[in-house]
């Protein structure tokens, strides 16, 4: 049993309550860690440490702060395999995926924000011969970062790196379902020489720790990634306190396939977009709209390709899908598969849990599931499932595809497959989402703005957007 501790003021400490939650390895369905069941008292301690650390940290030069972030990145790199194994044991994703995606990306996040922050400038505006304005950009103070379980260290570092780079002190909360790699990060920060109190990591439940972060008046900004309902709750509390907020929320992303696409590449990319990380990526394309002229051809090729995606022990190289992150989430996904049947859908593939032998016999696994015959506006096609479940829907015209794609309350990401350049740009412009990929999926350039419209979020992360979010701007106007 591995005991996780909070990281406050540069030290690992027990939660004040001395209570712990069960931490599961989803691939074996067993408790393997103890997660602090912290509360507002632990958050208060963290906020006090952060407040104390803020004056010195914010006064450091940009280069000094960036140097420490680079050292943290290198510290993770030096223990790459430990982090890779920890992420997989905690989350259930294949080990190879943690190795090629999650942990390298966490390293990139830190390096990217360390270096990009070196290039942040204030603006200068000359009004007339005797008047000019310049913009001062200063850190906010103590900020809160709250992250989800699907890409644990990847999204945790995506928030804390820009916050720290710009001179803020952070009270951060990883998901209570996948806290292990954030716990390990504390040690790396110590070794990298991050001053005490600059980053504080509090573990525990959302309604206890997350809500205490949101409600704490000393925390001036909240960067949150998670579900839309939680985002609404955070806004309800934080908005009347006039906190800055960046909310990255749920999605129900359309994948639109025209008959003039490069067929083989489209099939392969669509399968990846559907089932990578067991479909537990906010950017996964779960509603696949196919032009009626190639519907049957695409369906056949897609199903063949999905069948190659073996579900198995995350430690095995051959496993393309690992375990579902938790029993409640496993139950939720299965309930949506049942709903699809109730709504008249036809299960073309999967549609059931997978029982493995040996080590993983009690783990939570679901077969990649492909459904057809559902109307675009039924619940299964409107609500976020966040698992290995996709629907196939045919369309006959560009207008119809766009109409159906835009029919949900979400607007995070979309993919469009066509070799007609004009059509690609026309459709991309009309899709209601923060991100559109044309003939690709999950190509991420960290300099680009990242975020959603409608119920998928408010604000943008990535590039200078996140660095600006974590600062206050002051315009100084001078007449001489
Ligand atoms: P969640 O909203 O349940 O939890 C996210 C985080 O918020 C966790 O740390 C949780 O403990 C905390 N939390 C829960 N209740 C809280 C409250 N009342 N106040 C403050 N914090 C609280 O989400 P999840 O189940 O961990 O993650 C899945 C969701 O995240 C999906 O909807 C997915 O689409 C979304 N997501 C979005 C993005 C994006 O970039 N838009 C990225 C990844 C995941």
């Amino acid at each position: 049993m591995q005991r996780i501790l909070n990281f406050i003021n540069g030290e690992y400490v027990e939660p004040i309550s001395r209570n712990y939650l069960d931490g599961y390895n989803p691939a074996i369905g067993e408790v393997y860690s103890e997660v602090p069941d912290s509360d507002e008292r632990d958050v208060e301690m963290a906020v006090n440490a952060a407040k104390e650390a803020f004056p010195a940290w914010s006064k450091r030069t940009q280069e000094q702060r960036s140097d420490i972030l680079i050292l943290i990145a290198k510290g993770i790199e030096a223990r790459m395999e430990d982090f890779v194994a920890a992420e997989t044991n905690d989350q259930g994703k294949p080990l190879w995926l943690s190795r090629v995606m999650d942990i390298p990306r966490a390293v990139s996040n830190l390096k990217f924000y360390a270096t990009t922050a070196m290039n942040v400038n204030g603006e200068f505006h000359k009004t007339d011969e005797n008047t000019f304005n310049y913009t001062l950009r200063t850190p906010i103070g103590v900020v809160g970062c709250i992250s989800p379980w699907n890409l644990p260290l990847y999204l945790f570092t995506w928030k804390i790196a820009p916050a720290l780079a710009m001179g803020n002190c952070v009270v951060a909360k990883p998901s209570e379902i996948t806290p292990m790699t954030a716990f390990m990060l504390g040690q790396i920060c110590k070794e990298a020489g991050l001053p005490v109190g600059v980053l504080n990591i509090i573990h525990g439940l959302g309604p206890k720790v997350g809500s205490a972060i949101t409600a704490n008046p000393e925390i001036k900004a909240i960067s949150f990634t998670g579900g839309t309902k939680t985002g609404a709750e955070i806004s309800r509390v934080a908005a009347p306190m006039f906190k800055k907020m960046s909310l990255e929320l749920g999605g129900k992303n359309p994948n639109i396939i025209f008959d003039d696409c490069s067929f083989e590449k489209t099939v392969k990319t669509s399968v990846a977009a559907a089932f990578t990380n067991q479909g537990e990526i906010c950017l996964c394309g779960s509603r696949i709209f196919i032009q009626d002229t190639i519907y049957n051809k695409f369906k056949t090729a897609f199903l063949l390709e999905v069948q190659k995606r073996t579900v198995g022990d995350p430690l095995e190289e051959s496993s393309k899908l690992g375990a579902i992150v938790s029993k409640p989430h496993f139950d939720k996904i299965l309930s949506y598969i049942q709903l699809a049947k109730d709504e008249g859908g036809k299960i073309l593939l999967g549609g059931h849990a997978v029982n493995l032998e040996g080590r993983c016999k009690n783990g939570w696994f679901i077969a990649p599931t492909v459904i057809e015959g559902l109307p675009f506006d039924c619940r299964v096609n409107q609500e976020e499932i966040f698992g290995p479940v996709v629907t196939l829907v045919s369309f006959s015209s560009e207008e119809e595809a766009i109409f159906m794609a835009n029919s949900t309350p979400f607007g995070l990401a979309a993919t469009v497959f066509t070799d007609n350049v004009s059509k690609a740009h026309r459709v991309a412009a009309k899709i209601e989402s923060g991100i559109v990929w044309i003939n690709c999926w999950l190509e991420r350039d960290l300099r680009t703005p990242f975020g959603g419209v409608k119920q998928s979020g408010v604000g943008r992360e990535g590039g200078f957007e996140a660095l600006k979010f974590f600062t206050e701007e002051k315009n100084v106007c001078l007449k001489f």
Side-chain angles (χ1 to χ4, degrees):
M1 195 65 61
Q2 185 160 357
R3 175 166 282 194
I4 288 172
L5 295 169
N6 288 331
F7 184 70
I8 303 178
N9 211 23
E11 296 299 332
Y12 281 116
V13 292
E14 292 209 62
I16 291 172
S17 69
R18 297 280 192 272
N19 292 331
Y20 289 83
L21 308 161
D22 289 338
Y24 285 87
N25 177 334
I28 55 174
E30 279 173 18
V31 176
Y32 85 111
S33 71
E34 296 176 315
V35 185
D37 183 8
S38 312
D39 56 38
E40 74 281 357
R41 293 171 297 172
D42 305 278
V43 171
E44 183 84 36
M45 267 174 69
V47 169
N48 289 338
K51 266 173 68 182
E52 201 157 315
F54 178 68
W57 180 245
S58 57
K59 282 192 190 77
R60 289 212 179 188
T61 64
Q62 188 58 59
E63 190 174 0
Q64 287 169 337
R65 286 198 297 263
S66 292
D67 282 349
I68 291 181
L69 290 185
I70 297 278
L71 286 177
I72 297 172
K74 288 187 173 163
I76 298 173
E77 267 177 323
R79 289 185 56 197
M80 179 62 76
E81 280 306 306
D82 294 343
F83 274 94
V84 164
E87 204 68 297
T88 283
N89 289 335
D90 229 21
Q91 209 278 340
K93 67 183 70 210
L95 195 71
W96 60 262
L97 188 61
S98 296
R99 190 179 288 126
V100 300
M101 181 176 77
D102 290 74
I103 308 304
R105 171 60 192 272
V107 170
S108 298
N109 288 340
L110 286 152
K111 287 183 179 170
F112 173 77
Y113 280 115
T115 49
T116 307
M118 302 281 285
N119 295 298
V120 173
N121 296 314
E123 284 90 48
F124 172 84
H125 300 98
K126 185 173 172 182
T127 309
D128 57 41
E129 281 310 301
N130 299 321
T131 318
F132 67 76
N133 299 267
Y134 62 91
T135 310
L136 286 177
R137 200 177 288 288
T138 50
I140 297 171
V142 180
V143 300
C145 297
I146 303 174
S147 57
W149 50 253
N150 63 322
L151 303 168
L153 194 66
Y154 173 139
L155 290 174
F156 191 76
T157 49
W158 183 234
K159 297 188 173 300
I160 62 163
L164 296 174
M166 296 314 287
N168 300 281
C169 290
V170 178
V171 177
K173 183 192 125 37
S175 170
E176 63 276 24
I177 300 169
T178 53
M180 190 59 80
T181 46
F183 165 60
M184 292 164 66
L185 186 67
Q187 183 60 32
I188 304 282
C189 290
K190 272 177 107 155
E191 289 163 10
L194 187 72
V196 301
V198 170
L199 172 65
N200 305 275
I201 303 169
I202 310 294
H203 300 275
L205 298 169
K208 275 163 105 171
V209 177
S211 60
I213 291 174
T214 309
N216 191 301
E218 302 289 349
I219 294 180
K220 304 294 182 197
I222 305 284
S223 174
F224 169 77
T225 298
T228 294
K229 258 173 82 176
T230 314
E233 171 60 17
I234 289 174
S235 298
R236 191 187 64 76
V237 177
M241 300 172 84
F242 303 107
K243 295 191 183 201
K244 275 185 111 174
M245 270 184 282
S246 168
L247 305 173
E248 300 291 342
L249 311 177
K252 185 76 178 174
N253 309 307
N255 175 5
I256 304 175
I257 295 162
F258 288 98
D259 61 6
D260 52 5
C261 65
S262 294
F263 190 77
E264 300 299 324
K265 196 177 126 195
T266 300
V267 171
K268 282 205 159 67
T269 310
S270 297
V271 172
F275 298 116
T276 300
N277 208 47
Q278 302 75 242
E280 296 166 333
I281 300 184
C282 54
L283 306 163
C284 278
S286 56
R287 294 179 297 145
I288 307 181
F289 297 105
I290 308 144
Q291 193 151 15
D292 49 9
T293 40
I294 58 160
Y295 183 86
N296 286 326
K297 181 182 169 198
F298 180 87
K299 178 169 97 176
T300 307
F302 185 78
L303 294 176
L304 269 176
E305 194 62 33
V306 177
Q307 278 161 349
K308 295 184 196 159
R309 297 237 151 189
T310 324
V311 179
D313 185 339
L315 301 183
E316 299 291 335
E317 203 64 27
S318 58
S319 302
K320 295 291 176 261
L321 281 81
I324 300 299
V325 72
S326 68
K327 179 70 165 63
H329 195 54
F330 169 86
D331 290 338
K332 176 187 155 185
I333 296 168
L334 290 178
S335 78
Y336 269 102
I337 294 173
Q338 183 55 49
L339 177 64
K341 293 177 191 164
D342 297 344
E343 289 186 320
K346 181 175 170 200
I347 310 288
L348 298 173
L349 206 63
H352 53 78
V354 174
N355 298 312
L356 298 177
E357 313 229 299
R359 190 184 91 95
C360 296
K361 65 179 188 305
N362 295 322
W364 305 308
F365 296 86
I366 295 180
T369 298
V370 184
I371 305 167
E372 73 171 354
L374 285 171
F376 75 94
D377 56 354
C378 69
R379 279 186 56 202
V380 167
N381 271 331
Q382 293 287 314
E383 297 173 15
E384 186 183 43
I385 301 174
F386 213 51
V389 180
V390 297
T391 60
L392 307 185
V393 179
S394 79
F395 68 86
S396 56
S397 68
E398 196 178 307
E399 291 68 33
E400 191 190 10
I402 293 166
F403 174 76
M404 292 195 294
N406 288 341
S407 68
T408 76
F410 299 104
L412 186 55
T415 32
V416 180
F417 290 93
T418 171
D419 282 351
N420 179 328
V421 176
S422 305
K423 192 196 293 177
H425 290 298
R426 206 165 51 229
V427 174
K430 287 183 185 161
I431 297 278
E432 294 166 355
S433 70
I435 301 151
V436 179
W437 279 292
I438 298 170
N439 298 332
C440 59
W441 176 72
L442 206 58
E443 287 290 332
R444 290 284 293 117
D445 181 326
L446 302 188
R447 294 169 299 180
T448 58
F450 178 93
V453 301
K454 303 200 281 188
Q455 291 187 17
S456 288
V458 179
R460 292 292 178 272
E461 296 187 325
F464 287 112
E465 308 286 333
L467 294 170
K468 286 184 178 172
F469 173 78
F470 285 113
T471 58
E472 289 289 3
E473 285 176 326
K474 182 189 287 173
N475 187 68
V476 181
C477 177
L478 176 69
K479 206 167 185 73
F480 55 94

